[in-house]
């Protein structure tokens, strides 16, 4: 019976890739929401009048894209994190041109196809509703949907994402971008960095679970070769693989790299973390309990990841100018000429 169910599921997923029209509808069962705990300006029904079909427009585009290329889930998660963490969730990351965040070292390996997908969604949304939805809100919705598609959807909670963000009129400062946690960071640095964004150690652990579908260049974890932690044989394998091909991409979840699940935490418990920033989560008393708990209970991981992602998504820019809704392109402010997209470099 189990094998028959798996075969049917595989056929359904293949059909969804080959024919998006056959893809499953957006699941409407979601967890209860509480507007009273949201940041100022955000609400779960922000676009109820201006774009009532918003989520039904975004869902099939993301589902089709991620089913066709699971790496896009990791790409969208990284874009969401790299946009929100420096100065708040405001799509400042997407701006091209002078002082672009995309030209800075922490963002050079962001996925061009994932960046372009956000703009492709904006085009569809604005065609249906006019320029009423920000690129920042589109990033948030696309990321939420990508996680659902990449996860074990029969057990993964589908949850509402608070909306109402505006798009920045300028990139974040380079100093703010370089505040992004590095793969070589120790536990103190990670915990302090997250605390400055009102995120707790459990949020750090849960959001690190995004690495369950991510990949990394050898150069991003080369510090592991000189200061090995965890499983020495595993570190040696990483080193040998990178020596043979320094340009290779390494799965951050070495067991189930194409499924959004809690196996990443099980790997950490076995000493098989790729980044130093992964491994240190097991060796610090402020985070090790979270790693162990999320490794043992996938339900807790799914719900905690949801809560932590929503919490990160409420980190908003400060100041009197709330921003704008970019009308012509997610890659340019309304005062700039439209910028070339990323399709050619994808």
């Amino acid at each position: 019976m189990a094998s028959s169910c798996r075969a049917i599921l595989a056929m359904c997923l293949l059909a969804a890739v080959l024919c998006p029209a056959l893809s499953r509808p957006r699941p409407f069962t979601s967890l209860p929401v509480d507007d009273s705990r949201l940041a100022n300006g955000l609400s779960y029904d922000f676009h109820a009048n201006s774009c009532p079909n918003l989520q039904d427009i975004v869902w099939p585009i993301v589902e089709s894209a991620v089913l066709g290329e699971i790496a896009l889930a990791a790409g969208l998660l990284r874009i969401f994190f790299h946009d929100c963490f420096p100065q708040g969730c405001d799509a400042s990351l997407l701006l091209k041109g002078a002082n672009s965040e995309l030209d800075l070292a922490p963002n050079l390996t962001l996925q061009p196809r994932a960046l372009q997908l956000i703009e492709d969604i904006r085009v569809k949304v604005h065609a249906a509703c006019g320029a009423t939805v920000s690129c920042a809100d589109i990033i948030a919705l696309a990321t939420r949907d990508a996680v659902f598609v990449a996860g074990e959807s029969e057990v993964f909670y589908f949850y509402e994402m608070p909306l109402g963000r505006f798009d920045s009129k300028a990139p974040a400062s380079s100093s703010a971008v370089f505040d992004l946690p590095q793969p070589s960071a120790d536990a103190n640095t990670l915990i302090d960095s997250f605390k400055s964004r009102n995120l707790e150690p459990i949020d750090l652990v849960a959001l690190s679970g995004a690495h369950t579908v991510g990949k990394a260049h050898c150069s991003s974890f080369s510090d592991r070769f000189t200061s090995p932690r965890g499983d020495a044989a595993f570190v040696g394998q990483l080193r040998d693989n990178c020596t043979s091909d320094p340009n290779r991409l390494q799965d951050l979840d070495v067991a189930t790299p194409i499924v959004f699940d809690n196996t990443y935490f099980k790997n950490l418990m076995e000493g098989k973390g790729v980044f130093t920033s992964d491994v240190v989560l097991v060796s610090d008393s402020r985070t090790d309990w979270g790693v162990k708990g999320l490794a043992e209970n996938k339900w807790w991981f799914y719900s905690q990841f949801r809560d932590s992602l929503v919490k990160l998504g409420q980190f908003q820019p400060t100041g009197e100018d709330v921003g704008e809704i970019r009308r012509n392109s997610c890659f340019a402010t309304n005062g700039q000429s439209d910028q070339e997209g990323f399709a050619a470099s994808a």
Side-chain angles (χ1 to χ4, degrees):
M1 177 67 71
S3 60
S4 298
C5 290
R6 284 194 294 270
I8 293 172
L9 176 60
M11 292 174 64
C12 291
L13 291 177
L14 179 60
V17 173
L18 298 178
C19 184
L22 297 178
S23 65
R24 60 187 184 272
R26 185 178 76 86
F28 286 94
T29 302
S30 59
L31 295 176
V33 296
D34 181 2
D35 278 323
S36 67
R37 301 176 60 185
L38 297 181
N40 290 338
L42 299 185
S43 69
Y44 289 103
D45 59 354
F46 188 87
H47 297 293
N49 295 321
S50 62
C51 194
N53 296 323
L54 171 61
Q55 300 197 49
D56 295 317
I57 297 170
V58 175
W59 165 257
I61 300 172
V62 174
E63 184 196 30
S64 177
V66 174
L67 285 175
E69 184 181 1
I70 198 69
L72 285 171
L76 288 168
L77 275 164
R78 194 156 176 249
I79 289 169
F80 184 63
F81 186 81
H82 280 228
D83 180 51
C84 291
F85 208 84
Q87 67 176 17
C89 308
D90 61 358
S92 64
L93 171 70
L94 301 183
L95 290 174
K96 300 175 72 176
N99 302 314
S100 173
E101 296 173 46
L102 294 169
D103 295 331
L104 299 177
N107 297 323
L108 291 178
T109 55
L110 293 177
Q111 286 184 25
R113 291 180 296 279
L115 292 163
Q116 184 61 41
L117 180 61
I118 295 164
E119 168 61 10
D120 294 343
I121 295 171
R122 182 202 65 79
V123 171
K124 296 287 188 181
V125 169
H126 285 192
C129 302
T132 60
V133 181
S134 68
C135 296
D137 272 354
I138 289 172
I139 293 173
L141 283 176
T143 302
R144 188 272 310 271
D145 288 359
V147 169
F148 185 90
V149 176
E152 298 175 297
S153 57
E154 73 276 11
V155 297
F156 205 108
Y157 296 118
F158 191 83
Y159 53 93
E160 297 300 330
M161 177 65 76
L163 303 172
R165 300 166 187 82
F166 288 88
D167 298 324
S168 173
K169 297 178 182 178
S173 67
S174 59
S175 60
V177 173
F178 280 99
D179 279 343
L180 281 161
Q182 299 301 304
S184 58
D186 60 25
N188 284 333
T189 300
L190 292 169
I191 291 171
D192 289 347
S193 182
F194 273 65
K195 184 178 180 180
S196 69
R197 271 72 179 176
N198 296 318
L199 296 168
E200 303 298 325
I202 190 58
D203 298 313
L204 162 62
V205 175
L207 290 172
S208 295
H211 291 167
T212 186
V213 288
K215 294 179 182 287
H217 292 85
C218 285
S219 58
S220 64
F221 56 89
S222 59
D223 63 299
R224 295 274 279 124
F225 308 151
T226 55
S227 300
R229 303 184 187 209
D231 187 312
F234 176 72
V235 173
Q237 182 181 5
L238 291 177
R239 181 178 58 248
D240 293 344
N241 288 342
C242 287
T243 300
S244 62
D245 182 6
N247 296 316
R248 77 186 300 269
L249 289 174
Q250 168 67 47
D251 291 323
L252 296 177
D253 177 347
V254 297
T256 57
I258 63 171
V259 180
F260 196 98
D261 58 17
N262 67 331
T263 305
Y264 158 83
F265 298 103
K266 298 176 183 179
N267 296 337
L268 294 190
M269 296 295 293
E270 297 174 0
K272 296 179 179 178
V274 176
F275 289 151
T276 294
S277 60
D278 294 324
V279 179
V280 298
L281 298 178
V282 186
S283 57
D284 192 282
S285 62
R286 294 166 292 182
T287 53
D288 63 344
W289 62 274
V291 173
K292 184 175 186 295
L294 298 181
E296 294 175 347
N297 189 332
K298 67 180 179 182
W299 296 93
W300 182 24
F301 168 53
Y302 292 146
S303 61
Q304 184 62 58
F305 187 86
R306 172 204 70 215
D307 291 347
S308 296
L309 196 71
V310 169
K311 192 174 177 181
L312 172 64
Q314 294 187 65
F315 182 40
Q316 297 296 296
T318 58
E320 296 180 359
D321 190 345
V322 296
E324 63 185 6
I325 305 293
R326 292 180 196 153
R327 297 189 300 268
N328 303 311
S329 171
C330 282
F331 306 130
T333 66
N334 293 335
Q336 295 175 313
S337 59
D338 194 9
Q339 300 289 322
E340 180 183 356
F342 289 87
S345 59

